[in-house]
Amino acid sequence: RALGGNMQGTAALLTGGLVPLASFAGPKPQSSDSPNTARLKRLHMLVAWTSLVSELTAIMYATIARNVLLEAAVPHTHSLKELLLRGEYALAWTGVNSHFLFGLLGFVSTVSLNAWLSFGCNCAGGRIGPALACGASSALLLMLSVVNSAVGKGDAQSVQHLPSHLGLFQRYAFLLLAEVFVRRKMLIGIAIALSAVAVVQGALWVVQVPGD
């Protein structure tokens, strides 16, 4: 339960909020949009879609890992953190937390982008657009601070987490690459390659706006 039980419901809740943002409820492009507005709308779609996929991946990690923990024999370790950080469940633990955190930060970013697109470029919106965008950005930075404080704490056996959320992402990337090059899991290698293509193509789509 410690590995995935507390993540499944929260990630599912975020997924429910991201589904409309990544499909029918997101800002719609219009021919009258300025190049900068068009870029922000494209960025909103890209962030919402990426966050949605990330949360779904977190749910999958948590569900499968939790089932394995319930069905398989768990090797003896001095603490739960040692099992999750250094043991055979390290990939699942870092995967759940990395994808959940990435999706959460992306969700808050879409809220900020939505506020700016709805009111920030509209004179009728007054100053509420920048206020909402700044409020969401403030929450985003606070979340990062909370995560950094949590992942840096050790347990009674001095098993340390990672120094920050960036360290968490770095550890997850290292474990994924180890799965590819050490354990020869080619599906993960193909997934990484496709993700790299998606990042490049998405960035080009956001930047290259017709008529700019």
Side-chain angles (χ1 to χ4, degrees), residues 3-127:
L3 176 59
N6 62 337
M7 287 291 190
Q8 287 172 308
T10 309
L13 179 65
L14 287 175
T15 300
L18 284 165
V19 168
L21 290 174
S23 53
F24 61 87
K28 301 296 188 295
Q30 299 177 358
S31 58
S32 59
D33 289 338
S34 66
N36 287 336
T37 300
R39 287 192 184 94
L40 288 177
K41 289 184 176 181
R42 291 185 175 197
L43 180 62
H44 178 280
M45 172 57 69
L46 185 62
V47 172
W49 180 87
T50 305
S51 301
L52 172 61
V53 174
S54 185
E55 290 298 338
L56 290 174
T57 305
I59 293 173
M60 179 60 69
Y61 264 127
T63 302
I64 298 301
R66 187 182 183 189
N67 290 341
V68 172
L69 280 171
L70 292 174
E71 298 169 0
V74 179
H76 175 74
T77 55
H78 292 93
S79 68
L80 177 61
K81 284 186 178 180
E82 184 178 354
L83 175 66
L84 300 182
L85 292 176
R86 301 175 182 174
E88 61 181 275
Y89 293 95
L91 177 61
W93 186 88
T94 55
V96 168
N97 284 275
S98 295
H99 284 287
F100 173 79
L101 177 60
F102 187 84
L104 175 62
L105 299 181
F107 179 75
V108 178
S109 298
T110 59
V111 172
S112 181
L113 286 170
N114 253 330
W116 185 263
L117 288 169
S118 298
F119 300 104
C121 303
N122 185 358
C123 295
R127 297 182 178 179

Side-chain angles (χ1 to χ4, degrees), residues 137-160:
S137 300
S138 174
L140 182 65
L141 294 176
L142 180 59
M143 291 177 190
L144 290 176
S145 177
V146 171
V147 171
N148 288 340
S149 298
V151 299
K153 292 182 179 178
D155 62 7
Q157 284 73 36
S158 297
V159 176
Q160 294 291 328

